[in-house]
Amino acid sequence: MKGDIGVIGLAVMGQNLILNMNDHGYKVVAHNRTAEKVDEFLQGPAKGTNIIGAYSLQELVDKLESPRKIMLMVRAGDVVDSFIDKLVPLLDKGDIIIDGGNTNFPDTNRRVAALKEKGIHFIGSGVSGGEEGARFGPSIMPGGSPEAWPFVKPIFQAISAKTENNEPCCDWVGNDGAGHFVKMVHNGIEYGDMQLITEAYQFMKDGLGMTHDEMQSVFIEWNKTELNSYLVEITSDILGYKDTDGEPLVEKILDTAGQKGTGKWTGINALDMGIPLTLITESVFARCLSSLKDQRVEAEELFGKKESIVEGDKQVWIEALRQALLASKIISYAQGFMLMREASNENGWDLNYGNVALMWRGGCIIRSAFLSNIRDAYDIDPELSFLGSDSYFKGILENSMSAWRKVAAKSMEVGIPMPSMTSALTFLDGYTTARLPANLLQAQRDYFGAHTYERVDKPKGEFFHTNWTGKGGDVSSTTYNS
Ligand code: 6PG
């Protein structure tokens, strides 16, 4: 009997996905560039299963049922192209290649189009949830050649995480690189959620002078509220974790954050599309700032940083912080969905935002109770332009407003950096202001560069230029928006 699916790449994610597929009754053919890895896997974790090994791409192809489904679990970038180039001559028309890595979506757009010309279907799929997710149920976000989906759907939906109503956290996202785009936004939101949590931690630790056990208890309590999520849960575990000397391990970890690029891509796409994705972008910059460790150490000395003690009732501050975190999180997701909406419109992907929320409900790193409410919001209004306008989220934003402002103002007053929480509030203040000072900005542009402006008392699309000084000419420059 031939295999149902082939997987190339036996690193952590590849191995665990294969074992997961095997658990669900699929016969998987496993291949790795280095043959020893295949043997190690077959004699190790795959021992006693129905998993078959393949020592060459030809052997892999020969051992698969038609249409062949071959999933690449290799490093994103050139490695994917090199496997595609080697596979294509061995495949038949109608066969399917799937890329399950964290690929930048323009690469997926390109691969879908190039392989289409050769009659091969290509799926670019986000897979989230780390090692445990891959093994027992990840969130899977596939997009690409729609003709391929019916063949892959049963396997992916079987192995994916399920919601409390047993719905699979995997569905077709859209054409081209839509799946990888949605995974990229997932990661951007992951950056935002993590940054928000670290800001709350710093406020509690430095501002309120709390111990790690106290902070752990706070996160345990928060996890019983609307903030219930995987990232809040692991934060409480981390804060309680003691090193061999009994001290909190977290304080022994160097404070420079790494990043593999997906958060940065999210910010770059937001700039390209003109979407004010402030919170996620601030989170990326916060990681960049953290990596300037030596400069920060010198600057603290140079500026003689003062202690940032927050006076007042600790319990009141903790509740204010919870509300500020929740409200900021709403803004982060609202901005992420704005970005997906713009990308969907620009690329004709027809994204279903309720489905995206469902796919993120379980299995992935940002999984949380909150995503059910997002799904409800898009069920009510599939074209919702701002998540914060949905009545459930609007209610939370309004109720949290005063606490959120107090936390933001206090952080500024005492010098605790909270770029994401404060920029989220600033964003909402801007978004809910009908008249911003961009009129003055337009006047400046026209003053120095004759860039023209539109008037509030004339129809949109009619452009005016003023000779502000009486010295310049009346000729305006041609106007365009990038
Ligand atoms: C996931 C994660 C994963 C990501 C890591 C590391 O969904 O399982 O998003 O894909 O690679 O979290 O990302 P950074 O190194 O950029 O923090």
Side-chain angles (χ1 to χ4, degrees):
M1 211 183 92
K2 290 196 168 186
D4 298 301
I5 185 165
V7 176
I8 298 177
L10 296 178
V12 183
M13 292 297 280
Q15 287 200 13
N16 283 296
L17 274 182
I18 294 171
L19 293 168
N20 186 354
M21 289 170 183
N22 176 76
D23 282 352
H24 286 87
Y26 292 102
K27 206 178 177 89
V28 191
V29 186
H31 172 71
N32 198 80
R33 232 175 344 189
T34 31
E36 301 87 74
K37 271 246 168 192
V38 179
D39 285 330
E40 273 167 35
F41 181 54
L42 292 179
Q43 284 147 28
K47 205 177 168 92
T49 66
N50 292 325
I51 298 164
I52 319 169
Y55 295 89
S56 67
L57 291 178
Q58 185 64 58
E59 191 186 345
L60 172 83
V61 166
D62 291 344
K63 285 183 168 168
L64 287 172
E65 198 72 74
S66 277
R68 300 181 183 89
K69 297 168 276 300
I70 300 177
M71 185 163 189
L72 299 170
M73 291 304 297
V74 298
R75 198 193 165 106
D78 296 346
V79 186
V80 174
D81 284 317
S82 122
F83 271 112
I84 292 174
D85 291 346
K86 286 183 200 133
L87 275 171
V88 167
L90 312 177
L91 297 179
D92 294 322
K93 283 197 165 42
D95 284 347
I96 300 159
I97 301 177
I98 306 156
D99 168 20
N102 265 333
T103 292
N104 199 3
F105 80 100
D107 285 342
T108 307
N109 285 345
R110 169 176 60 79
R111 289 166 185 151
V112 170
L115 288 172
K116 190 176 180 179
E117 290 190 359
K118 300 185 161 83
I120 307 286
H121 301 313
F122 188 77
I123 290 181
S125 183
V127 178
S128 177
E131 186 178 345
E132 201 186 309
R135 181 67 186 89
F136 300 110
S139 157
I140 312 181
M141 297 149 250
S145 321
E147 304 89 333
W149 178 230
F151 298 101
V152 175
K153 183 177 173 178
I155 306 179
F156 275 17
Q157 292 199 335
I159 65 164
S160 73
K162 308 289 180 298
T163 65
E164 59 278 15
N165 300 325
N166 209 30
E167 297 154 298
C169 296
C170 168
D171 205 347
W172 187 246
V173 178
N175 289 346
D176 317 315
H180 274 139
F181 187 88
V182 166
K183 174 60 173 35
M184 177 195 77
V185 177
H186 162 282
N187 280 29
I189 289 178
E190 173 185 306
Y191 276 51
D193 279 355
M194 292 167 80
Q195 174 63 24
L196 288 170
I197 290 172
T198 64
E199 291 177 13
Y201 149 77
Q202 192 165 17
F203 193 95
M204 285 192 263
K205 180 166 69 85
D206 296 347
L208 301 174
M210 290 170 64
T211 66
H212 289 74
D213 289 342
E214 286 172 329
M215 290 188 281
Q216 179 184 34
S217 305
V218 168
F219 279 100
I220 289 172
E221 285 311 307
W222 284 2
N223 207 32
K224 296 176 190 157
T225 69
E226 299 99 320
L227 285 174
N228 175 271
S229 63
Y230 171 71
L231 284 168
V232 166
E233 184 190 323
I234 66 166
T235 302
S236 67
D237 280 354
I238 292 168
L239 289 169
Y241 197 95
K242 305 285 188 294
D243 200 3
T244 41
D245 59 0
E247 295 300 315
L249 177 63
V250 71
E251 297 314 323
K252 303 207 174 151
I253 297 177
L254 187 70
D255 54 327
T256 61
Q259 49 178 321
K260 295 204 192 73
T262 44
K264 179 181 80 177
W265 299 341
T266 318
I268 290 172
N269 276 285
L271 287 170
D272 277 346
M273 289 182 214
I275 297 297
L277 189 95
T278 56
L279 193 144
I280 291 172
T281 314
E282 283 290 358
S283 308
V284 178
F285 287 141
R287 290 195 189 195
C288 300
L289 181 62
S290 81
S291 71
L292 305 177
K293 175 74 178 175
D294 294 345
Q295 292 182 41
R296 287 190 288 112
V297 170
E298 263 179 42
E300 179 174 319
E301 180 88 48
L302 185 68
F303 283 80
K305 192 165 165 67
K306 307 263 174 337
E307 279 197 282
S308 40
I309 294 166
V310 173
E311 312 274 2
D313 185 325
K314 211 185 266 186
Q315 289 314 316
V316 173
W317 275 119
I318 291 169
E319 176 52 16
L321 203 51
R322 188 190 72 81
Q323 293 185 25
L325 175 49
L326 180 60
S328 304
K329 186 172 159 128
I330 294 172
I331 298 301
S332 179
Y333 283 67
Q335 293 179 342
F337 277 81
M338 282 167 108
L339 181 66
M340 287 191 286
R341 196 162 183 263
E342 182 61 29
S344 180
N345 290 341
E346 284 187 17
N347 296 289
W349 285 337
D350 203 16
L351 292 185
N352 179 321
Y353 309 106
N355 266 1
V356 171
L358 171 69
M359 279 183 257
W360 293 349
R361 176 68 189 85
C364 62
I365 304 296
I366 63 168
R367 61 185 180 264
S368 67
F370 180 88
L371 281 156
S372 294
N373 303 110
I374 298 185
R375 189 189 181 195
D376 292 346
Y378 283 102
D379 276 351
I380 298 167
D381 179 3
E383 285 310 317
L384 186 66
S385 51
F386 175 59
L387 188 64
S389 305
D390 166 77
S391 62
Y392 172 78
F393 291 110
K394 181 166 171 277
I396 298 181
L397 290 174
E398 283 168 347
N399 289 338
S400 317
M401 192 58 80
S402 138
W404 192 8
R405 287 195 192 287
K406 277 192 194 119
V407 169
K410 184 54 79 177
S411 74
M412 298 274 181
E413 189 191 319
V414 301
I416 298 172
M418 297 179 93
S420 290
M421 275 194 211
T422 51
S423 72
L425 182 54
T426 298
F427 167 85
L428 187 62
D429 284 335
Y431 191 78
T432 53
T433 297
R435 185 159 170 86
L436 287 171
N439 50 326
L440 174 58
L441 197 142
Q442 285 293 79
Q444 291 166 337
R445 291 177 72 239
D446 191 55
Y447 186 113
F448 64 68
H451 292 295
T452 74
Y453 54 87
E454 291 164 287
R455 294 180 59 106
V456 293
D457 52 359
K458 298 280 185 206
K460 259 192 89 67
E462 226 180 291
F463 291 90
F464 299 86
H465 167 58
T466 295
N467 181 353
W468 294 88
T469 58
K471 287 185 233 136
D474 291 324
V475 184
S476 59
S477 66
T478 47
T479 189
Y480 62 92
N481 274 317
S482 105

